[in-house]
Amino acid sequence: MSATTAPAQQGIYHKAGSLRSERRWALWTAYLSLIVSAIIMLAPPVYMLLTSLKTSAEVADQSGSPWWVSNPTLENYWALLGNRMFIDFFLNSAKVTIAVVALTMVISVLAAFALGRMRFWGSQALATGVFLTYLVPDTLLFIPLYQIVGGLGLLDNAWGLVLVYPTLTVPFCTWIMIGYFASIPKELDEAALIDGANWMQMLWKIFIPVALPGIIAATIFAFTVSWAAFVYPTAFITTPSEMPMTIGVVSQLIRGDTFAWGQLMAGALLAALPPVVIYAFLMDYYIAGLTAGATKG
């Protein structure tokens, strides 16, 4: 008996050892990939941070290492925060972003509810078409949008950006919300209708609470796109008092061939701070919203 079981046990031990070896190599490969990816992704912001802590003289000094700060200073940050124009850039970005997020969510929730729950002829094709419009790059849209915004008299006006940013945010947010609304059991609709609820009551009291993770994910996406947009404000805004941070910092700190690198890097980091803070606190909701919405869609 033992003579027959010994080879079998040896085979099991061999397979177990082989699996452990494969798992070990898989872990090492995964860790190595993560380390390389982290270095690639973190190198630019780290370089920006180091440059923002340097004086103009140290930035211009080519003899030292760009990855080392000899005399750290916050003068670049204080120079920006003490500049009224920089504060106006921040307020313009905040004003436009809040308005765009509010407008996007109202349109997206209503559109997704209609396409995901109020089934009608062509709703599936229309839902697919909504998502396909998101794939059209803004570099192709800004020329016709420039004519539209100009016709409305909103060129060189921050409120004109509120009109054009939803072309980037509404399609994707609507697609995410369609997946959530379509996943809710149909019995809830029937029970609500039997109780005398109308469609708006169903949306407000049933669907919005259930789809809250998807709404949060869509809100974060709309905020990020609106805050970081560059092509549209570059094309539509030329007056410094109406510029958002994305183009205001660049336009005012680059004069001909003179670059204020320290303040440029400091301004870029300050501009990136709001999205980073939001992602830090709501990352779990964002991931859950994107994955669940895509899966259910």
Side-chain angles (χ1 to χ4, degrees):
M1 189 72 176
S2 59
T4 58
T5 56
Q9 291 178 348
Q10 291 178 356
I12 293 174
Y13 292 150
H14 177 73
K15 290 181 179 180
S18 177
L19 290 175
R20 284 195 295 267
S21 178
E22 292 178 1
R23 185 173 183 273
R24 189 181 302 111
W25 278 108
L27 287 175
W28 279 108
T29 303
Y31 285 135
L32 181 61
S33 301
L34 289 174
I35 292 173
V36 173
S37 300
I39 292 174
I40 294 175
M41 290 185 290
L42 291 178
V46 170
Y47 183 82
M48 292 167 59
L49 176 62
L50 295 176
T51 305
S52 68
L53 297 176
K54 295 180 180 180
T55 61
S56 299
E58 187 174 356
V59 172
D61 185 8
Q62 299 296 319
S63 61
S65 171
W67 297 95
W68 178 258
V69 183
S70 299
N71 299 302
T73 178
L74 296 176
E75 65 179 20
N76 294 316
Y77 292 94
W78 297 129
L80 290 177
L81 295 176
N83 189 337
R84 178 61 195 179
M85 186 173 293
F86 180 83
I87 303 300
D88 290 338
F89 294 157
F90 182 88
L91 294 177
N92 288 337
S93 291
K95 174 179 67 177
V96 171
T97 299
I98 292 173
V100 170
V101 169
L103 182 62
T104 297
M105 295 315 300
V106 170
I107 296 175
S108 298
V109 169
L110 293 176
F113 181 69
L115 295 173
R117 303 302 296 192
M118 303 170 66
R119 296 292 184 180
F120 53 89
W121 183 85
S123 61
Q124 286 296 108
L126 184 58
T128 304
V130 167
F131 179 71
L132 291 178
T133 57
Y134 170 70
L135 303 180
V136 180
D138 51 1
T139 52
L140 296 180
L141 292 175
F142 82 90
I143 296 178
L145 286 175
Y146 185 91
Q147 296 178 333
I148 295 174
V149 173
L152 295 175
L154 292 176
L155 281 178
D156 217 11
N157 189 322
W159 290 110
L161 301 178
V162 178
L163 181 65
V164 298
Y165 281 0
T167 60
L168 303 175
T169 58
V170 168
F172 186 79
C173 293
T174 301
W175 180 257
I176 288 294
M177 295 311 304
I178 288 175
Y180 260 90
F181 288 151
S183 69
I184 298 176
K186 191 68 176 177
E187 289 76 12
L188 292 178
D189 301 43
E190 299 171 352
L193 291 174
I194 292 175
D195 290 339
N198 55 39
W199 286 107
M200 287 305 298
Q201 289 175 330
M202 292 167 54
L203 172 63
W204 184 254
K205 296 182 178 180
I206 298 176
F207 289 93
I208 289 181
V210 173
L212 191 58
I215 293 176
I216 293 176
T219 302
I220 296 174
F221 174 83
F223 176 89
T224 304
V225 170
S226 303
W227 187 271
F230 187 81
V231 174
Y232 285 166
T234 302
F236 300 150
I237 306 295
T238 57
T239 302
S241 61
E242 297 291 329
M243 290 181 177
M245 288 188 67
T246 48
I247 65 169
V249 172
V250 175
S251 65
Q252 298 305 306
L253 296 179
I254 298 178
R255 299 293 184 180
D257 59 349
T258 303
F259 295 77
W261 286 115
Q263 293 188 24
L264 274 172
M265 297 298 104
L269 288 174
L270 291 175
L273 188 59
V276 170
V277 172
I278 289 179
Y279 275 101
F281 285 100
L282 299 176
M283 176 61 74
D284 292 340
Y285 291 100
Y286 185 66
I287 296 175
L290 288 182
T291 54
T295 302
K296 297 170 185 175

